[in-house]
Amino acid sequence: MDELEVYIVKASKLTLFDASYFLLTPHQNTNKFSFRQTDKSILEFDNKLYISRYRCFAKYITKFVLEAISGGRRRDICTTNTVFDWLKRAHPTEDFSTLQAAIRSAVNFDRDCTRCFEYRSGSLTIDAEAAVEKAAQLNPGFGEETFSLAVHWTCIAMK
């Protein structure tokens, strides 16, 4: 069983909203599941990873600019995302719209965690906990495990 399967099994034991946040955060914050390790040197692998990230970023910016210029609204890619596929594997009995709503809620919760963050105290953890509390009030439906995970990812994001 590879690492992705372990994540999916853990997510299947969580509620739908918690599972969506649990699967979303490693996908957003790392490219852990995007590339398979090879027997190439670390330097060559890191260089390819850097180039791949740069190309993905360039495609995203190009698409964003073209949509902004054309006036077209941003299309919803929630259904084609790998997180949707992982969540579908973790909760196969849920229907399409419920999974989509759970992922949107997780994205909103993650965004609100960083949006509500303020550097007030001398501790990054205390500031992250305050931000997660504010985000939890704006986005109900998540459990305590998700809040502790959100504190961790908010500390990493705001470091």
Side-chain angles (χ1 to χ4, degrees), residues 63-74:
K63 181 179 170 186
F64 180 78
V65 168
L66 289 175
E67 286 179 356
I69 291 172
S70 67
R73 61 177 196 187
R74 224 172 141 199

Side-chain angles (χ1 to χ4, degrees), residues 10 43-44 58 66 132 143 147:
K10 286 180 183 177
L43 182 61
E44 184 179 352
L66 289 175
V132 169
F147 297 150

Side-chain angles (χ1 to χ4, degrees), residues 37 39-51:
Q37 293 281 346
D39 55 353
K40 297 178 182 176
S41 71
I42 298 296
L43 182 61
E44 184 179 352
F45 184 75
D46 285 346
N47 194 17
K48 285 188 175 189
L49 182 64
Y50 174 76
I51 291 170

Side-chain angles (χ1 to χ4, degrees), residues 80-151:
T80 59
N81 198 350
T82 56
V83 176
F84 182 85
D85 297 333
W86 296 344
L87 192 59
K88 184 67 176 169
R89 286 170 58 189
H91 293 274
T93 58
E94 298 294 334
D95 65 340
F96 173 81
S97 59
T98 308
L99 295 174
Q100 198 174 25
I103 292 173
R104 282 193 184 122
S105 296
V107 169
N108 288 338
F109 177 66
D110 189 47
R111 185 192 64 224
D112 288 341
C113 286
T114 54
R115 188 174 53 96
C116 295
F117 186 87
E118 295 177 1
Y119 294 100
R120 291 202 170 192
S121 69
S123 173
L124 187 64
T125 307
I126 293 171
D127 294 338
E129 287 172 353
V132 169
E133 284 178 19
K134 288 179 188 175
Q137 292 171 354
L138 297 172
N139 302 290
F142 294 96
E144 289 298 322
E145 291 179 20
T146 302
F147 297 150
S148 63
L149 186 62
V151 168

Side-chain angles (χ1 to χ4, degrees), residues 14-47:
L14 298 171
T15 64
L16 187 62
F17 278 39
D18 294 331
S20 63
Y21 186 79
F22 179 75
L23 292 172
L24 177 75
T25 49
H27 178 70
Q28 283 183 333
N29 296 310
T30 64
N31 282 338
K32 174 186 284 192
F33 303 124
S34 299
F35 299 95
R36 298 215 180 262
Q37 293 281 346
T38 60
D39 55 353
K40 297 178 182 176
S41 71
I42 298 296
L43 182 61
E44 184 179 352
F45 184 75
D46 285 346
N47 194 17

